[in-house]
Amino acid sequence: MSEQVDLQATVPAEMFGLRLDQAVSQLFPDYSRSRLQGWIKEGDLRVNGETRRPRDKLNGGEQITVSAEIQAIERHVGQSIPLDIVYEDDDILILNKPSGLVVHPAAGHADGTLLNALLHHCPAIGHVPRAGIVHRLDKETTGLMVVAKTIQAQTDLVAQLQDRSMGREYEAIVQGVMTGGGCVDEPMGRHSKNRQKMAVVGVGKEAITHYRVLEKFRAHTHIRLKLETGRTHQIRVHMAHINYPLVGDPLYGGRFRLPKGCSDELQDALKHLRRQALHAKKIGTLAPANRSADELGG
């Protein structure tokens, strides 16, 4: 299955001297620069009927045409998996992901994922890269995710993630009693010895996590977190780095310990907690259709 895309535009005089790839990213803002560059290289995007290189300069007045096919995701199939959708329109949907649901197929999880559920709920989403998934939650993390239903919406949401205009807030329970909130600004990368883990590393990518205290308990703290960046396992790594690992985190939480003098009820709850105590509580995004702010909490 594929979707035919036919576009045309005239290069305005004020674009004189611009590279072709720079110009078409402005002329066709609904499509990502990487997709447009691919069309240029494949000959699907032409200038006055001729193929050009992405770096070729324009004079103004040229006719740009695009005739391309976008292939749907064919190696994955839709599966009837329940989705807790809290908002949906023609461009995006926002869902509340349950614990235990893997977001994207990978080794050991060939199907039964959120991607498979999305393909069943909205088959046309197969034409969108990664079935519209623009950010992820760990398998055992619960909470809100925004998904693009069109290529235009996907381009827009990715841009919001990159320029940090998409607000994402989480809530968590951490081990230990915090004295107050703060910010962890520490670069992250792959762990040097355990490739399944991430870590704070000096030559890693920028990672910034803000946190504030909501409620203190005898041995734990309920906190709210806001991300400026979206690195893999960012909250889990940053909280462990400052010695307040998430309750129930099997990868970064260290050896399981029961707090001294805790009640039987708390002991039972902690012993049977099989995941990190982390929930994506709120997401704020500019809706691609009308550019208005949508903020949802879950």
Side-chain angles (χ1 to χ4, degrees), residues 62-77:
E62 294 95 338
Q63 297 296 312
I64 307 293
T65 57
V66 176
S67 180
E69 287 189 352
I70 298 175
Q71 297 297 322
I73 298 174
E74 294 181 352
R75 61 191 183 93
H76 301 301
V77 297

Side-chain angles (χ1 to χ4, degrees), residues 119-193:
L119 289 172
H120 180 269
H121 173 74
C122 179
I125 211 168
H127 294 290
V128 184
R130 296 174 295 281
I133 297 169
V134 296
H135 66 113
R136 302 188 184 192
L137 294 177
D138 297 335
K139 177 184 177 182
E140 302 302 345
T141 298
T142 59
L144 298 177
M145 290 182 61
V146 60
V147 176
K149 294 175 65 177
T150 66
I151 291 174
Q152 294 84 351
Q154 190 251 6
T155 301
D156 193 272
L157 291 175
V158 168
Q160 291 181 47
L161 284 167
Q162 292 175 341
D163 66 19
R164 304 180 184 180
S165 59
M166 182 183 292
R168 290 173 293 162
E169 291 187 6
Y170 296 73
E171 290 192 10
I173 305 294
V174 298
Q175 299 178 39
V177 182
M178 289 183 165
T179 56
C183 174
V184 184
D185 184 353
E186 296 286 353
M188 286 178 51
R190 189 68 60 179
H191 194 283
S192 60
K193 296 181 179 179

Side-chain angles (χ1 to χ4, degrees), residues 39-69:
W39 286 342
I40 294 171
K41 294 173 182 177
E42 292 163 9
D44 295 328
L45 188 152
R46 293 174 175 258
V47 181
N48 293 334
E50 300 177 346
T51 58
R52 296 280 184 88
R53 296 170 300 180
R55 67 174 182 270
D56 286 347
K57 302 292 182 65
L58 298 174
N59 296 316
E62 294 95 338
Q63 297 296 312
I64 307 293
T65 57
V66 176
S67 180
E69 287 189 352

Side-chain angles (χ1 to χ4, degrees), residues 99 140 248-250 268-276:
S99 173
E140 302 302 345
D249 191 335
D268 185 66
L270 291 173
K271 287 178 179 179
H272 290 88
L273 183 63
R274 295 290 181 262
R275 69 178 187 90
Q276 61 271 8

Side-chain angles (χ1 to χ4, degrees), residues 101-118:
L101 180 63
V102 173
V103 170
H104 197 279
H109 299 281
D111 56 15
T113 69
L114 175 60
L115 182 143
N116 300 109
L118 291 169

